[in-house]
Every structure is written in C-alpha cells, then in structure tokens.
Amino acid sequence: MTMNRQEPQSLSVAAPGGADIAAAIHLVRNVVLQSALDCGCRDKVHEALRELEDFERQRNIVKLLAAAREERRKIGLLTEMLADFAEDDTVDEGIVETASLMFLDIAAAAQEGSRLLRDALSLKTCK
C-alpha cells in the first residue's frame, strides 16, 4: 500500500451535483483507508475512486463548456439586437436605455462565460 497519497483536488461545485459526488467519493475513500482491508484491496479501491474522480472531472468540464457556449449564444443574440441601434443617430431615450441594458447583459454574459471557462481550465489542470 502506498502511504504517501495526496488527496486529489475536489471536483467543481460549478456543475450540478459535483459537490455531492465529490463528497461521496471523499467519504468512501476515508472509510476504506481507515478500515482493516488488506493493502492490495485498498490500492484497488483507491485506483477505482481515482478513475471515478477523473470521469466526474471530465463530465463537469463538458458541462462547463456547454454553459460557456450558451453564454456565447446569448452574446450573439444581444449583439444582433444592438445592430439596429447603431444605424440611427437620433437620441430616443427608450432606445438608448434599452441599448444600455443590452450592453450590461452582454458584459454579464461575457463575465459568466469567462468564469465558466476558467473553472473548466482549473478542473483540466488539477489532475
């Protein structure tokens, strides 16, 4: 049995269920490592749990990338809606206010997309 194991970095809580699955894996790992199982069995369980963590990590990365693509889609739709605003030099308060809100929505979607991609990248590099 290898005694110098490091705890893998926990799975992201950004993906639904990620924290629950990570907590369950952590619990199983603690129970097995503190049990009276023989060394070979502990190593097999540890390896199976590591593979499960890798699988969950990849699943969470896919979910995060899909969510980032959704933010990109929102930005595209809002940008298309803003195209009409750029065509006219008249200052209609309602149109200007609406355009201002659209720019805020674009900024929020861009910020969220950036966060999702950073989370996906951090999961990718924590192996």
Side-chain angles (χ1 to χ4, degrees), residues 12 14 17 24 39 41 57 66 89-90:
S12 173
C39 294
C41 182
R57 186 176 294 108
D89 289 336
T90 61

Side-chain angles (χ1 to χ4, degrees), residues 9-16 18-19 56-68 71 110-127:
Q9 192 170 358
S10 65
L11 298 173
S12 173
V13 295
E56 282 301 310
R57 186 176 294 108
Q58 186 58 38
R59 188 176 70 87
N60 286 335
I61 288 170
V62 168
K63 286 182 177 183
L64 289 166
L65 293 175
E71 295 303 318
Q111 190 170 28
E112 178 64 5
S114 176
R115 185 195 63 78
L116 290 163
L117 292 175
R118 284 192 312 272
D119 286 354
L121 185 58
S122 71
L123 282 178
K124 186 74 172 161
T125 59
C126 74
K127 285 182 92 173

Side-chain angles (χ1 to χ4, degrees), residues 27-121:
L27 179 63
V28 170
R29 178 176 278 114
N30 284 343
V31 168
V32 169
L33 293 180
Q34 294 174 7
S35 71
L37 294 174
D38 69 342
C39 294
C41 182
R42 284 184 186 185
D43 287 342
K44 287 178 184 177
V45 170
H46 177 72
E47 180 61 23
L49 290 172
R50 190 194 59 73
E51 289 176 10
L52 179 58
E53 286 172 331
D54 289 345
F55 173 79
E56 282 301 310
R57 186 176 294 108
Q58 186 58 38
R59 188 176 70 87
N60 286 335
I61 288 170
V62 168
K63 286 182 177 183
L64 289 166
L65 293 175
R69 283 190 297 273
E70 176 61 20
E71 295 303 318
R72 181 191 66 194
R73 186 190 68 76
K74 288 178 191 176
I75 291 169
L77 290 173
L78 288 165
T79 302
E80 285 179 27
M81 292 169 63
L82 277 172
D84 293 337
F85 169 71
E87 299 298 321
D88 193 351
D89 289 336
T90 61
V91 180
D92 177 295
E93 287 182 32
I95 292 174
V96 171
E97 180 63 28
T98 301
S100 172
L101 293 172
M102 284 188 207
F103 277 117
L104 288 174
D105 289 345
I106 289 169
Q111 190 170 28
E112 178 64 5
S114 176
R115 185 195 63 78
L116 290 163
L117 292 175
R118 284 192 312 272
D119 286 354
L121 185 58

